[in-house]
Amino acid sequence: MSPLAVLCVLCGLFQAPALSEVGTRGCKPRKSVPFDNGSIKLFREKGVWDYSTMLLREDLGLLFLGGREAVFVLDIRDISSKKTQVYWQVTDEKQIECTYKGKNAETECRNYIRVLHKVDDDRMYVCGTNAFSPTCGHMTYAKGRLTLEETLEEGKGKCPFDPVQRHSSIMIDGDLYSATSMNFLGSEPVVLRSSLIAIRTEFKSTWLNEPVFVHMDLVRESEGSSEGDDDKVYMFFSENAVEYDFPNKLMVSRVAARLQGGLGWSADTAEEPSLPYMIQDVFLLQHSDWRKSIFYAVFTPQSGSADLSAVCAYSVTAIGDVFSKGRYKTPVTVETSHVKWVMYSGELPVPRPGACINNAARKQGIKYSLDLPDKTLQFVRDRPLMDEAVQPLNGGPQLLKRGPMFTRIAVDRVTALDGHSYDVMFIGTENGFVQKAVNYDGEMFIIEEVQLLQHPEPIKTLRLSAVTGQLYAGSETAAVQMALSDCGRYSSCLDCVLARDPYCAWQPTAALCTAVSSTHNSNRTLIQSLIDGNASLCPSSEGVSPESYTLIPGNNIRLQCQPDSNLAEVRWFFNDQPLRPSDAKYFLYGEGIMILNASAADSGLYVCQAVERVKGRQYPRTLAAYQLQPGEGDPELPPTETPSTEAPPTKSTTETPSTTPKLLDVGPTFLALSSNEHGKLIAMQVSVALLSLLLVALLTWNVFQGNLPFLGCYGARPQTSSGPGQTQSSPPNFNSRQVPFQAKVSAERKLLVTPSNCNTSNNHFSEELTSNHNLPPGAVSSLDVFKYINDESEI
């Protein structure tokens, strides 16, 4: 038995004010990809929950997925394809015993798979909570069948009792290293090595004080060591700090290291006067030279008042230097009868406390930590904390972002066309998204955010396979698979280059965005610019053909234009002249523009551009163009010239409407139609006429019965709920190809109000307009002034 020495505080020691001052500018994802079953693979089994334990077997091409009372074997390339499964349910006796102890029979008193590790080629080690009676065993996979062996063993110290309690474990050379709780109440934390010689930590509050275990990983530091150093197991966790004079509980994040060939743990920590951020997950990005390996860690605030999440990176050598060269803390008793921790300045015993057993120590006959002199062991027992903190790379967080909290992280190292390697971070969030981000020379760039789950829920597990190029995520209700890159999302050269995705590059000859790894010898013809985002390398493209529609004087006309990049600024031009946000004639919002009270003077060419800025350069793209022509009742209107819509580079359209638009009159609302819809005019007119007669008859009957008194006579209050002739508080889901909307309203109540869920933060032009409140005279804030008619089925 040997003491656990607690280790260094990480990025969580940043002061909260300092994190706030860093700011989050530039941390908006460039693209937001909504939930789409066509781009992701999803697995769920009826009656099974909590898909939070994963074991990737790339050697078998399989993913072993642990859930509540079940382990599934899935195809690693398509997890929606289930190979087989084994169910491991609790017995009735165990469930009854669990309920007698005050636990819920349907939720807590079940068997949640929490440990799943590879032992050899066809065997896995598995542990479950088993109704607050943790149990472990072996599973075999052979000939397409998964079998749970009958011989089971007690899982105390290997698997948590409580399914919601955080834990960590790792299997190394047949030995299980675990960090969890040893008792039913979860009040006795333990760090355990299960092998022929079982080793565990003593229970002492100065070593483990209500810890939350997060992650364990192995670093092969013995490779290439001239001093005969040993491999190390690093453990990350948070706990209540004993070294601070704080009125309430103060959690700090720590890392501990254990010599894999030894029998004990060595220690480290640091001091900080403000509330530290809490570590949530860790990913080890391994390098062929272990000295270049990096730990990536996710942090969130321990107070609910902040909404900042951070990602920090730590060099393995920097952590090792704090252990081997750092100073220690020591407890001293002061007159106020409490213990104060200060830096130790006395003489150090030999060998150095917490140092690895190397060749020099072995020459003295010290092969294990139990062989260490009593002075060294006693020093570690009394002084488990280090005085210095491990500093993150670049001196601060790699990523700092407001919004939904980060939960998990996985990192892939990608070699780009410029020959440099870039670390691509995939970060899970509490609302079911994964954010894909890269740090380019200190500039954090979020390439995209992908919605993995249809309904918001936390990402509990992330696993990455560089072999298959896939990311696997687990949550309470499902397991999801997504590709590390989907270059097909980028429709043009400009879009592809500005994405700054190291996986993707533009292929000019094929005119598509392609994966870099699959191009082999054609790399010289590809266009990619990650550091600078230089899209001027792209060839020029053709302009957008304008869509032609008829303008009805006195109506409000809606022209649709929604950028495909959250970083783009939308600009509108009328006959080659920019529209001013201060002009009350126009109303801009997230999905387009509304021309208020249109007149004959408003006929002409409207062009919508999206402009992205990178490194001080602007890159415009034409997204849409509309040619509004006067109606037949305006012979005095002069013909309108058609300016060019060329803008380098541009986006082409898939359909060019006829230059002879038709107009459908449907009573109080008008809808402009292109010529391919002309064949439905007669049927629609008849339908509208019949519907109008029916509504008039119904209205007359209700008035006659006294159910609907005239508002003007009886002074009835206007209704606030939506109904026929009113606009709902949420806008309809417009298709990407939709004709402009025109609404006929009375002269004294012409108005357009921005839909409540418009994402104006993606449109800087509309932000400025909204902040200036540029609405026409007499505008009110209600949404029931006019109604949409999106297609013929709504008439």
Side-chain angles (χ1 to χ4, degrees), residues 14 399 489 682 709:
F14 290 159
L399 172 62
R489 289 198 183 109
I682 297 176

Side-chain angles (χ1 to χ4, degrees), residues 245-261:
D245 183 13
F246 202 74
N248 300 316
K249 290 183 179 181
L250 177 65
M251 299 289 289
V252 293
S253 300
R254 307 193 193 276
V255 54
R258 183 196 183 283
L259 310 181
Q260 193 225 336

Side-chain angles (χ1 to χ4, degrees), residues 614-628:
V614 183
K615 303 287 186 178
R617 294 182 295 269
Q618 296 187 10
Y619 299 102
R621 281 186 295 157
T622 299
L623 301 180
Y626 299 96
Q627 181 71 50
L628 299 188

Side-chain angles (χ1 to χ4, degrees), residues 11 40 122 147 187 259 325 356 438 513 544 550 578 590 784 786:
C11 175
I40 64 173
D122 60 355
T147 305
S187 58
L259 310 181
K325 303 175 183 178
C356 296
V438 187
C513 196
V544 174
T550 297
D784 59 348
F786 61 92

Side-chain angles (χ1 to χ4, degrees), residues 117-119 125 169-177:
H117 296 297
K118 174 185 175 182
V119 179
Y125 191 71
S169 64
I170 186 173
M171 184 73 72
I172 304 174
D173 300 332
D175 292 346
L176 179 70
Y177 297 77

